[in-house]
Amino acid sequence: MKKVIIFLILLSIKLFGAINASTTRLYEKREIVGGRTQNLVIVTSKVNLTGLGGLTKLSYDFGRLAEGRFIDVKNNYHTESLRVKKMEINSSMGNVDEEKKEITGFGSGNLDLAVVTIVEVRADQSLSGLYRSPNLSLNITGHKNNYNEKVKIDIDLEINVLKSLKIKTIPMNFGVGIQGQKMSTVNSTHGILDVEGEKDKNIIVSYPKEVEIKNSSGEGVLKVLITTPGLEPVGGDDHRGRIGSNGRSEIIFRGDINDTKNAPSGKYSGDLTIKVRYD
């Protein structure tokens, strides 16, 4: 009788899911004030990658990074004054090697990451309006099951450049007063702050509620109470105003002096420091 030898071969197969991303598009919009050189840092929301079981590393690159000039949306041209300077990955669940363009150190099959973009802004006074980034993308590759799996995430960045604020002032003048009587710019000349900037934008105007003016002789100080009837108090020294549809805002500063009974005669003057910024 012939002996029959039977070989039993067991095959062990591990199946892993495909690499998936929680989103295929990242969008961020920022507002900045133009007219000065600056680096704008834009951090996107997080992306969660799943299906990484069996992988020890991922490679990545940024598409179209070399074409980093932003596009003027209104006039449809590339500007040299807004340019992507650098892009990198930030992750709390993995180790990012910028030189090798690799991500390692994730062990749960999941990975979260955000994209950090540094935009170089030049001191170009003509920058104004909405600008959009070129077709940027984050491309991630993982070698799995004898082939490469790839994930592409598009990155769209928009920057709204506001006109830099321009300020003109007219000083308040109390005119001539009599010792012991109250004084007010209502009876003379209010101070005026003329603000030019981005139309229909809120601004914050900061100033002290009280300032001192001194006699030119060196003797005597008067306290001036400052108010701005056209602004909304928002706390502390801050008051909210709004630039009109013509790109201008005229703000009236009223001054009142309630106590002059002990003030020596003479000419009084002082400074009122006002700070203005976009809200």
Side-chain angles (χ1 to χ4, degrees), residues 109-166:
N110 296 331
L111 176 68
D112 69 351
L113 58 87
V115 176
V116 181
T117 304
I118 301 176
V119 181
E120 181 184 27
V121 183
R122 295 183 181 178
D124 184 350
Q125 296 293 336
S126 67
L127 278 180
S128 179
L130 186 64
Y131 295 83
R132 183 174 295 132
S133 65
N135 297 322
L136 300 172
S137 65
L138 169 61
N139 306 309
I140 300 174
T141 303
H143 186 71
K144 180 189 287 191
N145 300 334
N146 297 321
Y147 68 94
N148 288 335
E149 288 195 21
K150 297 184 177 181
V151 173
K152 178 184 178 184
I153 302 171
D154 293 321
I155 303 170
D156 296 323
L157 307 176
E158 288 186 342
I159 300 176
N160 188 30
V161 182
L162 305 179
K163 293 180 180 178
S164 54
L165 294 169
K166 296 181 180 179

Side-chain angles (χ1 to χ4, degrees), residues 47-176:
V47 178
N48 188 38
L49 297 179
T50 57
L52 304 181
L55 292 175
T56 58
K57 71 176 180 180
L58 297 170
S59 59
Y60 70 91
D61 64 81
F62 294 104
R64 303 293 292 274
L65 183 56
E67 305 172 23
R69 295 179 301 164
F70 276 67
I71 301 168
D72 185 321
V73 173
K74 181 179 179 180
N75 300 305
N76 194 30
Y77 75 90
H78 289 82
T79 177
E80 297 289 342
S81 298
L82 280 175
R83 180 184 289 272
V84 176
K85 185 176 182 180
K86 184 180 180 182
M87 298 183 75
E88 56 189 39
I89 288 177
N90 185 3
S91 176
S92 62
M93 299 173 64
N95 303 317
V96 180
D97 189 324
E98 290 187 37
E99 184 176 346
K100 294 181 179 180
K101 292 291 187 291
E102 291 180 349
I103 309 173
T104 58
F106 50 89
S108 62
N110 296 331
L111 176 68
D112 69 351
L113 58 87
V115 176
V116 181
T117 304
I118 301 176
V119 181
E120 181 184 27
V121 183
R122 295 183 181 178
D124 184 350
Q125 296 293 336
S126 67
L127 278 180
S128 179
L130 186 64
Y131 295 83
R132 183 174 295 132
S133 65
N135 297 322
L136 300 172
S137 65
L138 169 61
N139 306 309
I140 300 174
T141 303
H143 186 71
K144 180 189 287 191
N145 300 334
N146 297 321
Y147 68 94
N148 288 335
E149 288 195 21
K150 297 184 177 181
V151 173
K152 178 184 178 184
I153 302 171
D154 293 321
I155 303 170
D156 296 323
L157 307 176
E158 288 186 342
I159 300 176
N160 188 30
V161 182
L162 305 179
K163 293 180 180 178
S164 54
L165 294 169
K166 296 181 180 179
I167 307 297
K168 294 181 181 179
T169 59
I170 297 177
M172 62 176 61
N173 189 337
F174 289 90
V176 178

Side-chain angles (χ1 to χ4, degrees), residues 10 16 24 33 44 52 62 71 100 116 125 146 149 163 185 191 207 212 214 224 227 240 246 259:
L10 298 178
F16 298 100
T24 58
V33 180
T44 68
L52 304 181
F62 294 104
I71 301 168
K100 294 181 179 180
V116 181
Q125 296 293 336
N146 297 321
E149 288 195 21
K163 293 180 180 178
T185 57
Y207 62 88
E212 292 183 345
K214 298 180 180 180
V224 182
T227 55
R240 180 178 288 112
N246 61 349
D259 185 7

